[in-house]
Amino acid sequence: MFLLACPHCGPRSVDEFKYQGEVTRRPPERPTLRELTDYVYFRDNVAGVQREWWYHGTGCGLWFVAERDTRTNEVLRTEIPEPSRGRTPAPVEAAVPDTPAV
Amino acid sequence: MRIAPQPGERIDRRKPFTFEYDGAKITGFEGDTIGSALYAAGRRVFSRSFKYHRPRGLLCCSGDCPNCMMTVDGVPNVRLCVEPVRDGAVVRAQNVLGSLDRDLLSITDKIGGPFTPVGFYYRTMIRPRRLWPLYEKFLRNVAGLGKIGENGTHRRYDTEHRRVDVLVIGGGRAGREAAARAEGDVLLVDEHGGGGALKGRALGIYEGGLVPVDAGDVLYRFRAERIVVATGGIEQPLVFPGNDLVGVMLPNGVRRLTRDWSIKPGERAVVVTADDAGLEAAGDLRAVGTEVARVVDLRSERIVQLAAVGKRGRLSAVLVDGEAVDCDVLVMSGGRQPAYSLLAQAGARVEYEPRRGIFVPTELPENVEAVGSAAGDLEGAAVPAASYDGGDGKCFVCICEDVTEKDVKRALAEGFDSIELAKRYTTATMGPCQGRLCHLQSIRMLARETETDEAAIGTTTARPPWGPVELGLLAGRHYEAMKRSPLHFRHEEAGATMMWTGAWRRPFAYGDPAAEVRAVHESLGVIDVSTLGKIIVEGPDAAELLERLYPNRFADLAVGRIRYGVLTTDGGRIMDDGTVARLGDDLFYVTTTSTGSESVCEWFEWWNAVWGYDAEIVNVTGALAAVNLAGPQAREALGALTDADVSNDALKYLDAKEITVAGVPCLALRIGFVGELGYELHCAASAGEHLWDALVARGAVPFGLEPQRVLRLEKAHVIVGQDTDSESNLLSAGMPWIVKEKPDFVGKWAVELVEERGIRERLVGFTMDGGLLPPEGAQVVENGKSTGRVTSSRVSEQVGKVIGLAWVRPERADDGTRLSIRIAGADHPATVTLAPFYDAEGAKLRS
Amino acid sequence: MRFMSHPEGVEFASPLRHVDGIDDVSHLGKWEIRGDAHGLDGEVIRISPDRALVVGDRRPDAPRVYDMTAALAAFEVEGEDLMRRLTELDLDELPAIGSILRGTPALIERRGGERFRLYVPQELGHYVAETVVDLAKGLGR
C-alpha cells in the first residue's frame, strides 16, 4: 500500500483513495462511433509517467490529478483542478473515461 | 541429560513448568523451550519428514528448519525449539500414522523412492480416472503438514498502526548498535525479543516504508521513514548422504543446547565445518563432556567423501574419506548466508560473491539500510562443495520438502534448468523454511550440474512473508461496516425481518408482505427510505451543472417542482436514477438510489472538477431520515399532523414543499414510487423516530422492501442495477422521453449513436398467462433458443396475475406480443404489456 | 432548508444511543461551510481547501452553511494506543480526516492530552462506536 500525497491532506495510504484512471480527452464535438469508443474504452496504459484522476474518498473528498510513474508508483506531482467560484466555467479540456463507480 | 548448572545458562531451575507430550508429563524450567525440555527428557525424534516420513531431530534451534514442528494446544506447525515452555501446554506430534518413533507411513522411505520421484504428483495417480476419488482421499490424508482443528481456532487478533523514524529489524549485535546510533524515534524489533526490542517478526518491507510485524496476537503495521535490516546470517547445512539423520546439527543447535539449556547433546561427536562456528561448537561439546572424535575444518582440509550413516534414522557413524567414526552427534557448518530476503523484497539487488560463496545484497533503496551479517559483513568461510559423495543414503538438498540431489538432477534432465522453474518443479525452497536452509544449496547444485556458476543461476524472487504467519493475524479483526438507518431500532422493535442491501440493513417485511401491499393499496402504509442518497446542489451554476449531467431538462424546472431523472455515462450506460426537486432558483435537492448515493455524489463532484461550475455538491444522505407515506388515506393522515395546506391544489403530484409534520420540519416530496397517493417526508435524522412514531400512531402500517418491490413492479418502475445492467441504455430501457434536445449532456453522443444504429434488446413488462412465477433470471425462449431474460417477477394480488419485467428482442417488444418463458425446463406463455400493470394513467398518483 | 435542522422540543435521537460505554457528544452543533471560513465563531476545522466544519451551538454567519448536526455521530475516547488500533493517521497531525477501521471515513481531533474526538457518518456511528468499545476491551479496558 504505497503512499499518495493528497494535495490537501499530505501523504496517505493509497487505500484511502479511489483511482479513476487516466486523464482522457472528452471529444469537444460530436464524435464518430470510432472516436467515442476510443474515448470511452481505450487507454494508453503507459509504462511510465501518466496523468490520472484520484479521489480522496476516505478523506477530504477532493478530486485531483496526479502524475504517477506506473512502474514505481512514485507520484511526481499533484494538482487540484482550478476552483471556479464566480468564473464562467471552462470548456472541457481534460475529462473523463466511462468508469463510474457503481 | 541435563548437566550440572553452567555459568551463563538461560534456565531458572527454581521455576519448573510441566506440560503434556503425547500423554506423558514433561517438566522444563523457565528459559527452556518445549523443544529443549523434550530433548532434556531424552526425546530425539521430533518429527517425521514431509514425503518420506523419515525421523527428524533438532537441527537449528533457531526456529528456521521444519524439524521440530508439532501441534501445541491445537495450533499446528509450532516450532518447539523456540516455543517457551508453559504449564499445561498440550503437545502432539503431527504428520505421523502411529507414533514418532514408529510411523507406519515411513514405508514411503523404504519403497517410495522409485515411486515418488520429483514431480510424481503430476504423473502418477492420474489413471484410471475413475479411481481419482480414491486417490484424492488418500492424498488429502497424507498431504500437508499439521491439521487445524475441525472448528479452527478462534482467537482475538488486533492490528496496531505505528509510526517511527527508524525501524531496526533484528536484535543482534549489529541491530542493537544501529538502534543506539540512530536518531529520532527509533524502534528495534526482534523475533526473540529481549534487550528492549519489541518481540515480533518483520514479515516484509512494502512500499511507503510499510513493515508488518507479527507479534502473535497483534499485527503491527509500521510506517518507517528509514528501515535498518539487521536480520543476520543463516547457518547453512552441507549436502551429503544421510545429512538429515537425527543427530546431525547446525552449530547453533549445539550452542543453544549446551550453553543456554545446559544439556549434553550426545556422547560422541564429529564436526565438519567451513567456518569458526563449527570449531566453537566443538568447544561447547567438550565443555559439557561430549567427546569430539574428529574435527574436519574445510578451510584447511580438502575432503571428497562425506556421509552419515544411521540406524532407524538416528546417526551412528560418519564416513570421512573412507574413515568411519562412530558418533551420535554430527555438527555440520557450511558457513553463513546473509539473510537478505527483506532487503530484496524492498528492492535491493542480490549479487553472488564467488570468493565467499554467498549472495550479498547491493543497490539498496534510499530508505533502507543493511548492517552486520545481513549486509554481508561475515567472516571468511570455505566454500563447500555442492554435495559430497560417500554412501547410498538419501542426500537432501531441501529437508522441508524431502528434495534430494537425485531429484534436482532429474528435474534438470527434464529441462527445468532455470532456478525459478526447478524450484516450482521440485518444490525445493517452497517448504516451511522458505529457502533459509536450501536456497543456496539448490543454486549451487544447479550451477555445478549445468557447468556454470552461481551468479549465472541467480536467486529466486524474495516475497513476503519472511516466515510463517497465521492467516487469522493477517486477516485481523473482522470489520463489517453496517449502515443503520435512523429508524433502525424501530424496525427491530417491530420485529421486522432485516436484510442486507449493500452496506445497509433494511426491513424485508414486518410480517406478511402481501398484507403490507394491501395496506398501501387500501388504506395507508409507511416505509423507511432513509437509505436513499440525498444530495444538495446549490449555486449560481447549479441548474447548468444538472443540465449537463442529466439527459433531462432542469433549467426550466419551476421552483417547488420535482422531475424524475436518469443518469447515464458517456458510454450510454444507465448509472442511477432518482428525483430532482428545485427548492430555489439556485438550490436543488437530488435523490439517488440507496446503493448509488456515494457514487453519484462522486460523479457530480468529478464532473464539477472537470467543468468548474460554481455549484456546491453536498452529500446529505446521512443527515436526513426519510419516509414514504403512501395509500389512499395519506393526505388525510398528513393533514392531521400538519398546519400546512396539503390539499391537492396546494401540494400537487410532483410538488416539493417544506412543511412541519408532528412538530418536525420536513421536506415533503409528492412522488409515487409505489403507485398510490404518497408523500416522501425528509427530516433531520435525529428527529426521524419522532416523525415515524407520529405516522404509525396515525394508523400508517409499516411496510418493508419486499412489499415495496411488488408495488413498484405493478407500476413497472425500473430498479437500476436489477432491471438494467452495464449494457442497458435509455432507448433499450424504454425511456426515450427522458432524452431532451440540448447541446451537451453526459451520454448524449452514445444515445445518438444508439438511435442511429438501433437497439439490440428492449426492456418490457409482461404478464404470465398462467399462475406460475418465473424466477428472476429465467430465460425468454424462441424456438428453443434463449433470446431474453426475466429481471423482475412477482405475484400481484392487485393485478390478479403474475407480472414482471424482461429483456426481449426489439422485434418481440410490441404490446401484446406472445412470449415463452422457461420455468424449470418447460416453456410457459406470457404476454408483453408496455403500460404499467396498475393505474396505467397515474390517476391514483394525482388524486 | 429548515428540514435539515433538528427541531426544538423534539428529543435528539443520537445514533449512538444504543451503544454502552461510549462518550457520546453527537448532539453538538456541526455546520459545514463551503468557501471562506475565516473569522467564524466556534471551533473551525478545515476539511479541504474549500470546506470546513464548524462545531458550536450557533449557526455560523456565512453564505453557504449546511447543518450537519444530525449527519455526524461524534464521540470521545481516551488513549493513543486505542487510536493506533483504529487508524493509521498521524496522531501528531490532527485534526485530520481519514480512514479508520479499514475504510470508514472519520474526522479526528485531539481534545488535549490523550483524549480524542471522532466524527463519523451517523449511519455508521453505531457500528464504529461498538467496534471501538470492543477494541478497547482488547487493550484490557
Side-chain angles (χ1 to χ4, degrees):
Chain A
M1 248 133 355
F2 67 92
L3 297 173
L4 181 64
C6 166
H8 177 72
C9 303
R12 294 290 179 87
S13 175
V14 72
D15 58 3
E16 284 193 359
F17 300 86
K18 184 168 136 182
Y19 174 59
Q20 195 76 347
E22 297 170 21
V23 171
T24 58
R25 195 178 158 76
R26 193 167 183 256
E29 278 158 29
R30 188 184 151 160
T32 62
L33 180 62
R34 176 82 215 174
E35 287 162 350
L36 183 69
T37 46
D38 235 43
Y39 151 62
V40 172
Y41 298 111
F42 286 86
R43 299 291 172 266
D44 291 339
N45 193 28
V46 298
V49 178
Q50 73 174 11
R51 275 163 58 79
E52 45 199 33
W53 281 106
W54 288 86
Y55 175 64
H56 195 187
T58 321
C60 67
L62 208 60
W63 278 101
F64 60 94
V65 171
E67 275 176 27
R68 180 179 63 107
D69 190 325
T70 59
R71 295 162 301 184
T72 59
N73 282 333
E74 190 188 352
V75 177
L76 309 168
R77 216 164 66 84
T78 55
E79 59 186 88
I80 306 174
E82 194 67 4
S84 68
R85 193 159 277 118
R87 263 191 326 119
T88 42
V92 195
E93 209 278 282
V96 200
D98 178 45
T99 48
V102 167
Chain B
M1 245 87 35
R2 196 83 71 167
I3 55 169
Q6 302 288 300
E9 67 179 19
R10 295 279 179 92
I11 48 173
D12 184 343
R13 299 183 191 232
R14 291 161 307 178
K15 292 181 184 160
F17 290 91
T18 303
F19 60 93
E20 188 197 315
Y21 166 75
D22 272 359
K25 298 269 182 236
I26 308 285
T27 300
F29 303 114
E30 185 173 286
D32 260 325
T33 63
I34 294 178
S36 64
L38 281 172
Y39 199 99
R43 172 136 297 277
R44 290 293 175 272
V45 179
F46 279 74
S47 68
R48 288 281 176 160
S49 72
F50 180 58
K51 195 159 99 182
Y52 298 123
H53 289 260
R54 286 163 69 94
R56 296 274 164 85
L58 293 186
L59 171 66
C60 68
C61 291
S62 310
D64 286 335
C65 81
N67 279 10
C68 62
M69 294 202 305
M70 293 202 201
T71 299
V72 180
D73 292 336
V75 178
N77 305 331
V78 175
R79 286 172 162 104
L80 299 190
C81 71
V82 288
E83 184 71 11
V85 280
R86 54 179 184 267
D87 269 330
V90 177
V91 183
R92 298 254 179 281
Q94 55 188 41
N95 198 30
V96 292
L97 191 63
S99 73
L100 274 180
D101 297 320
R102 288 180 183 277
D103 175 10
L104 298 178
L105 288 172
S106 62
I107 188 81
T108 51
D109 188 31
K110 305 287 186 306
I111 63 152
F115 297 106
T116 54
V118 59
F120 76 97
Y121 35 76
Y122 301 131
R123 288 189 289 261
T124 53
M125 302 207 185
I126 292 172
R127 279 178 216 79
R129 280 196 76 93
R130 68 192 159 78
L131 285 185
W132 171 245
L134 201 69
Y135 294 151
E136 190 186 18
K137 208 172 167 190
F138 169 74
L139 287 173
R140 279 256 167 272
N141 247 322
V142 299
L145 294 166
K147 289 188 171 50
I148 296 173
E150 289 285 311
N151 301 313
T153 47
H154 291 279
R155 277 166 56 195
R156 187 194 170 98
Y157 296 102
D158 281 302
T159 306
E160 190 164 315
H161 304 270
R162 296 259 191 111
R163 288 166 178 270
V164 287
D165 295 324
V166 185
L167 180 68
V168 182
I169 303 168
R173 186 186 47 78
R176 288 197 310 272
E177 283 174 11
R181 260 199 326 270
E183 283 172 16
D185 190 4
V186 184
L187 194 119
L188 179 65
V189 52
D190 183 78
E191 293 183 18
H192 309 296
L198 172 74
K199 188 174 185 303
R201 174 187 278 137
L203 296 171
I205 297 179
Y206 293 81
E207 291 169 300
L210 176 66
V211 181
V213 172
D214 171 356
D217 293 337
V218 179
L219 183 75
Y220 293 97
R221 292 175 93 249
F222 280 97
R223 288 277 186 189
E225 293 289 321
R226 207 157 65 79
I227 299 161
V228 181
V229 175
T231 40
I234 301 163
E235 290 182 346
Q236 296 296 306
L238 299 171
V239 182
F240 56 88
N243 61 345
D244 71 322
L245 291 171
V246 175
V248 178
M249 284 190 194
L250 289 164
N252 190 58
V254 168
R255 191 184 62 80
R256 294 210 72 191
L257 284 173
T258 55
R259 293 196 203 177
D260 293 354
W261 301 316
S262 301
I263 295 170
K264 183 176 170 186
E267 297 304 321
R268 200 157 190 265
V270 170
V271 176
V272 181
T273 182
D275 61 359
D276 286 345
L279 304 183
E280 283 160 20
D284 291 339
L285 287 166
R286 287 192 192 99
V288 295
T290 302
E291 178 194 350
V292 178
R294 174 89 156 86
V295 176
V296 179
D297 188 337
L298 296 171
R299 288 170 295 189
S300 51
E301 191 173 346
R302 278 186 62 88
I303 59 165
V304 185
Q305 283 186 314
L306 176 66
V309 288
K311 290 183 189 121
R312 288 231 186 100
R314 291 170 67 162
L315 179 71
S316 59
V318 173
L319 298 167
V320 181
D321 282 343
E323 167 201 3
V325 187
D326 286 347
C327 61
D328 56 0
V329 171
L330 167 60
V331 181
M332 60 172 171
S333 177
R336 289 202 298 156
Q337 162 62 44
Y340 65 72
S341 196
L342 291 174
L343 295 162
Q345 285 174 30
R349 213 164 60 76
V350 179
E351 199 169 65
Y352 186 68
E353 206 182 275
R355 189 178 53 82
R356 292 190 289 173
I358 53 175
F359 284 90
V360 289
T362 64
E363 296 174 26
L364 305 190
E366 250 177 279
N367 60 331
V368 178
E369 188 188 334
V371 295
S373 307
D377 182 10
L378 284 163
E379 49 154 326
V383 182
S387 72
Y388 294 90
D389 274 341
D392 45 13
K394 287 191 172 77
C395 177
F396 288 92
V397 175
C398 165
I399 53 166
C400 294
E401 298 283 294
D402 271 354
V403 179
T404 61
E405 178 178 8
K406 215 159 128 186
D407 293 328
V408 175
K409 286 179 178 169
R410 178 160 177 166
L412 262 173
E414 292 183 22
F416 297 98
D417 54 357
S418 113
I419 183 73
E420 293 282 9
L421 291 179
K423 160 186 162 179
R424 283 157 181 78
Y425 190 60
T426 62
T427 71
T429 74
M430 288 168 70
C433 94
Q434 287 288 288
R436 282 170 170 80
L437 306 181
C438 51
H439 190 219
L440 186 59
Q441 287 70 6
S442 310
I443 295 166
R444 210 171 260 158
M445 189 159 291
L446 277 186
R448 184 187 72 188
E449 294 299 315
T450 56
E451 293 175 9
T452 168
D453 58 22
E454 285 83 346
I457 298 292
T459 61
T460 56
T461 308
R463 292 188 182 87
W466 168 242
V469 55
E470 287 183 47
L471 291 176
L473 185 70
L474 294 182
R477 197 186 182 288
H478 180 59
Y479 291 113
E480 193 168 54
M482 184 200 287
K483 289 185 178 174
R484 287 173 172 85
S485 133
L487 304 170
H488 181 89
F489 296 99
R490 285 291 183 264
H491 308 321
E492 284 195 349
E493 288 155 17
T497 308
M498 303 298 280
M499 63 184 280
W500 286 103
T501 59
W504 292 98
R505 291 288 281 172
R506 300 189 66 188
F508 172 81
Y510 298 82
D512 175 18
E516 292 168 22
V517 171
R518 247 174 272 137
V520 176
H521 279 311
E522 290 165 11
S523 53
L524 187 62
V526 64
I527 181 170
D528 177 7
V529 293
S530 304
T531 58
L532 288 175
K534 311 173 200 80
I535 301 167
I536 288 170
V537 182
E538 184 176 21
D541 295 337
E544 180 67 25
L545 174 65
L546 294 175
E547 278 283 315
R548 250 175 125 177
L549 285 168
Y550 284 89
N552 316 58
R553 271 218 179 292
F554 288 106
D556 66 351
L557 185 65
V559 171
R561 293 291 289 166
I562 302 169
R563 201 165 272 168
Y564 173 66
V566 180
L567 286 164
T568 66
T569 66
D570 260 337
R573 186 171 64 81
I574 294 176
M575 194 187 144
D576 203 81
D577 69 347
T579 59
V580 179
R582 189 167 204 163
L583 304 183
D585 284 340
D586 296 344
L587 178 61
F588 291 82
Y589 184 78
V590 178
T591 66
T592 77
T593 61
S594 294
T595 45
S597 67
E598 278 167 32
S599 54
V600 170
C601 203
E602 282 167 27
W603 182 252
F604 281 18
E605 285 171 352
W606 186 24
W607 282 102
N608 203 31
V610 171
W611 288 329
Y613 285 114
D614 185 359
E616 305 302 339
I617 295 153
V618 188
N619 189 347
V620 294
T621 300
L624 299 163
V627 298
N628 184 10
L629 181 71
Q633 296 168 10
R635 180 177 298 117
E636 193 193 331
L638 186 62
L641 293 169
T642 180
D643 296 335
D645 183 357
V646 294
S647 69
N648 204 17
D649 292 331
L651 189 53
K652 292 187 295 293
Y653 181 55
L654 298 182
D655 270 356
K657 193 173 170 183
E658 286 198 59
I659 60 174
T660 298
V661 182
V664 179
C666 294
L667 175 63
L669 305 175
R670 191 170 158 199
I671 43 188
F673 188 56
V674 295
E676 297 290 349
L677 166 67
Y679 304 88
E680 257 182 36
L681 302 173
H682 297 232
C683 71
S686 48
E689 279 187 356
H690 183 88
L691 178 68
W692 176 266
D693 292 347
L695 296 171
V696 171
R698 282 297 310 176
V701 175
F703 64 103
L705 271 185
E706 176 56 21
Q708 190 196 41
R709 283 178 180 174
V710 175
L711 290 159
R712 69 92 197 177
L713 193 57
E714 291 172 349
K715 292 296 291 178
H717 286 152
V718 167
I719 295 181
V720 172
Q722 165 153 343
D723 301 308
T724 67
D725 58 31
S726 61
E727 299 281 293
S728 314
N729 58 62
L730 289 169
L731 303 183
S732 66
M735 304 178 187
W737 47 273
I738 292 271
V739 185
K740 298 293 187 263
E741 193 55 48
K742 48 184 175 177
D744 185 25
F745 65 84
V746 178
K748 175 180 164 73
W749 303 315
V751 170
E752 287 173 0
L753 285 163
V754 170
E755 205 164 16
E756 281 172 24
R757 296 158 58 85
I759 54 172
R760 279 179 296 184
E761 50 179 6
R762 170 87 155 79
L763 184 64
V764 296
F766 69 87
T767 55
M768 295 299 292
D769 294 5
L772 221 51
L773 179 71
E776 291 174 351
Q779 302 296 303
V780 177
V781 292
E782 283 176 60
N783 304 321
K785 278 191 184 148
S786 165
T787 59
R789 66 204 174 276
V790 173
T791 57
S792 293
S793 57
R794 287 289 186 282
V795 177
S796 168
E797 272 182 22
Q798 191 70 30
V799 180
K801 282 182 181 154
V802 170
I803 58 173
L805 294 174
W807 287 94
V808 296
R809 292 195 300 124
E811 296 77 18
R812 310 288 299 162
D814 292 333
D815 206 29
T817 305
R818 311 282 294 155
L819 300 174
S820 273
I821 293 173
R822 185 160 290 177
I823 304 168
D827 297 346
H828 296 269
T831 307
V832 171
T833 310
L834 292 182
F837 305 103
Y838 175 71
D839 185 28
E841 297 76 35
K844 303 259 181 196
L845 300 176
R846 290 177 176 80
S847 65
Chain C
M1 286 188 284
R2 275 182 56 231
F3 66 94
M4 292 279 297
S5 298
H6 186 83
E8 277 181 37
V10 171
E11 196 190 341
F12 184 91
S14 162
L16 310 183
R17 63 195 178 281
H18 294 286
V19 184
D20 291 333
I22 203 85
D23 197 349
D24 182 5
V25 292
S26 300
H27 62 276
L28 291 170
K30 299 175 267 323
W31 314 86
E32 181 163 339
I33 310 294
R34 296 293 176 104
D36 190 13
H38 285 101
L40 294 177
D41 289 340
E43 187 194 347
V44 182
I45 306 168
R46 185 146 292 286
I47 295 171
S48 76
D50 214 33
R51 292 170 62 195
L53 190 75
V54 175
V55 181
D57 292 338
R58 301 220 350 249
R59 182 189 182 87
D61 184 20
R64 289 180 189 171
V65 181
Y66 304 92
D67 188 345
M68 291 292 176
T69 304
L72 297 168
F75 61 92
E76 295 187 355
V77 297
E78 195 79 32
E80 286 199 6
D81 52 352
L82 177 57
M83 291 304 295
R84 284 199 297 256
R85 296 211 164 173
L86 294 180
T87 182
E88 197 190 13
L89 284 177
D90 189 344
L91 301 179
D92 296 328
E93 299 277 334
L94 299 180
I97 181 164
S99 169
I100 63 166
L101 309 179
R102 288 194 204 166
T104 297
L107 172 61
I108 304 174
E109 57 170 344
R110 205 183 262 271
R111 307 292 296 176
E114 293 213 8
R115 193 161 182 80
F116 299 87
R117 186 187 286 169
L118 287 84
Y119 303 86
V120 297
Q122 70 85 12
E123 62 271 31
L124 287 162
H126 184 96
Y127 151 74
V128 170
E130 223 176 22
T131 308
V132 168
V133 168
D134 181 63
L135 289 173
K137 269 187 205 144
L139 289 162
R141 303 218 198 113

